[in-house]
Amino acid sequence: MWNLMPDGPILAHSFDVGAGAILALVVQQGTTTAYAGCQDGQVKVIDLEMKAIIRTIIAQEGVDILSLSLLGSDLYTCS
């Protein structure tokens, strides 16, 4: 997580997802929930207020999650 300041971004917190790099990120509007698509086919559900990973969704094992989209309460992944 970054704080965007007039002088430039400042790193506020980092997450160890344990699943390679995060390739896609989407935040659910009106909540403190973010979804991170990882290299190994996992989607990590992050509570930004608690700064914790609260759930792991296995979309497709061993395949990179390249993009994420939220439509209403539905999460779509693209690999």
Side-chain angles (χ1 to χ4, degrees):
M1 293 184 350
W2 296 85
N3 288 329
L4 301 179
M5 308 302 273
D7 298 340
I10 298 173
L11 181 63
H13 185 77
S14 62
F15 296 92
D16 179 15
V17 294
I22 294 174
L23 302 176
L25 189 65
V26 66
V27 177
Q28 190 170 21
Q29 187 175 6
T31 70
T32 60
T33 304
Y35 300 89
C38 300
Q39 281 182 318
D40 67 350
Q42 294 183 10
V43 176
K44 301 294 183 170
V45 182
I46 302 169
D47 185 315
L48 298 173
E49 189 173 38
M50 294 183 353
K51 297 181 182 167
I53 297 170
I54 56 174
R55 178 167 291 150
T56 298
I57 301 167
I58 299 173
Q60 188 173 359
E61 287 190 50
V63 178
D64 297 348
I65 303 296
L66 301 176
S67 67
L68 296 170
S69 181
L70 271 172
L71 297 174
S73 62
D74 296 330
L75 176 68
Y76 295 89
T77 65
C78 178
S79 54

